[in-house]
Amino acid sequence: MLDVRRMQVLRAVVTSGSITAAATNLGYTPSAISQQVASLEKQAGLPLLERVGRGVRPTAAGRLLTEHAARVAEQLAEAESALTALRQGCAGILRVRYFATAGAALVPPAVAQFRAERSGVELDLKLTEPTDPFEELAAGRADVAITVLEPDEPAPEGVVARHLLADPFFAVLPRGHALSRKRVIDLGELAEEPWIFADFGATGPCKDLVVNACAGAGFAPKVVVESDDYATAQGFVAAGLGVTIIPRLGLGYAHPGVVLRKVRNPEPVRHIHVVYREEAASNPAVVALAEALEKAARAS
């Protein structure tokens, strides 16, 4: 295989017109330049230079390799520039995974800020469940994810978790419900009510949080309907089929047939985090996106 460095030496000789001039320009001795050219000629199997007076000129093979050397130099310069941009977080692809309510409230403003600052970075944005991001990170399918972690719940080994916000749950009651006259209700006051489970899934942090909060209030919810999303759950509540609790970020749309009330004793709160692998902490693009999400969370 042809030696790229020797090709650049040949190019310097051809461009300057002499071995001596090339040696001066490159900071080598003329003997070293001659040795480099001789080694390249051996690799090429053809003479590359011929004497003309006190200087040299390229043979047909020398011109060919000089032209290729120029293109290689351009490509190397482009590669170095692209690598610098990637190292500075101004290029490349960032794969981001988020769950629905965080996506609606936090991701759009964060992405808008990020793109304004780092337009050269392509974002791959995909919706996922709150329990899935760690699998995505571990498998290398995601660079940044938004998930739910409890304050005393450690992130998996090798993962950085940055707290974005505490997202309290609100009681969602049909209009005219007896408890709607109160500004704040105790969770235990919903013990005898039929419950609509709102987008909690079969398992996961949100369902566990709701079930555990109810247990802390001394009851297990009597689930009569399981809904796939918060908007549909509100429809069931508005129809008088039951009550539910929904996190604040899930209440961007409030059904006109329901009322929202604060909950206490206990107050269920989910803690939303942005997570990424520890080795990604040196990537300025990852850090910039995490900071944009923190800003969006403060404004929400």
Side-chain angles (χ1 to χ4, degrees):
M1 181 179 292
L2 295 173
D3 188 294
V4 173
R5 290 173 297 179
R6 290 169 181 164
M7 289 174 63
Q8 297 307 318
V9 169
L10 172 66
R11 180 184 174 215
V13 173
V14 172
T15 301
S16 63
S18 76
I19 288 177
T20 301
T24 300
N25 294 336
L26 297 177
Y28 294 136
T29 64
S31 175
I33 295 295
S34 296
Q35 290 175 7
Q36 293 290 324
V37 172
S39 296
L40 186 60
E41 285 181 328
K42 182 179 292 186
Q43 288 181 314
L46 292 168
L48 302 176
L49 298 172
E50 57 185 11
R51 290 281 179 182
V52 179
R54 295 184 177 180
V56 293
R57 66 184 179 192
T59 64
R63 285 194 300 274
L64 177 68
L65 287 188
T66 299
E67 292 170 0
H68 280 283
R71 288 198 289 272
V72 167
E74 291 175 0
Q75 291 173 343
L76 287 173
E78 291 175 2
E80 289 178 353
S81 178
L83 188 60
T84 298
L86 185 63
R87 186 167 53 247
Q88 294 175 346
C90 299
I93 299 176
L94 211 56
R95 298 160 298 177
V96 183
R97 302 295 178 261
Y98 59 92
F99 61 94
T101 50
L106 304 180
V107 173
V111 167
Q113 176 184 328
F114 182 86
R115 284 183 171 164
E117 297 172 352
R118 298 177 181 270
S119 59
V121 180
E122 180 182 346
L123 291 177
D124 172 23
L125 302 163
K126 287 185 180 177
L127 183 69
T128 186
E129 293 299 321
T131 51
D132 293 343
F134 295 121
E135 297 177 8
E136 296 284 290
L137 290 174
R141 295 189 296 267
D143 302 301
V144 178
I146 301 174
T147 192
V148 175
L149 285 172
E150 288 308 296
D152 57 350
E153 180 184 359
E157 185 177 355
V159 172
V160 175
R162 296 170 65 158
H163 187 265
L164 293 179
L165 58 81
D167 192 22
F169 282 71
F170 283 74
V172 183
L173 311 172
R175 285 199 175 276
H177 191 283
L179 292 173
S180 65
R181 295 191 298 269
K182 305 179 71 172
R183 295 181 60 185
V184 182
I185 65 174
D186 290 331
L187 186 58
E189 294 181 273
L190 301 178
E192 301 304 319
E193 300 285 342
W195 275 64
I196 314 296
F197 258 24
D199 194 29
F200 298 143
T203 59
C206 291
K207 182 174 183 178
D208 292 344
L209 194 154
V210 171
V211 170
N212 291 339
C214 291
F219 73 98
K222 302 171 185 176
V223 181
V224 295
V225 177
E226 293 193 15
S227 169
D228 288 337
D229 59 76
Y230 293 132
T232 303
Q234 290 186 60
F236 283 113
V237 173
L241 299 178
V243 301
T244 191
I245 60 174
I246 292 177
R248 181 175 60 85
L249 288 187
L251 293 168
Y253 160 79
H255 193 289
V258 306
V259 294
L260 309 177
R261 294 294 181 263
K262 291 184 177 181
V263 179
R264 65 186 178 190
N265 298 327
E267 179 188 30
V269 178
R270 65 178 184 177
H271 292 268
I272 299 175
H273 295 71
V274 57
V275 295
Y276 48 85
R277 294 187 303 277
E278 286 181 351
E279 58 263 32
S282 60
N283 184 337
V286 169
V287 175
L289 181 58
E291 291 174 349
L293 286 165
E294 289 174 337
K295 181 178 179 181
R298 289 193 296 270
S300 67

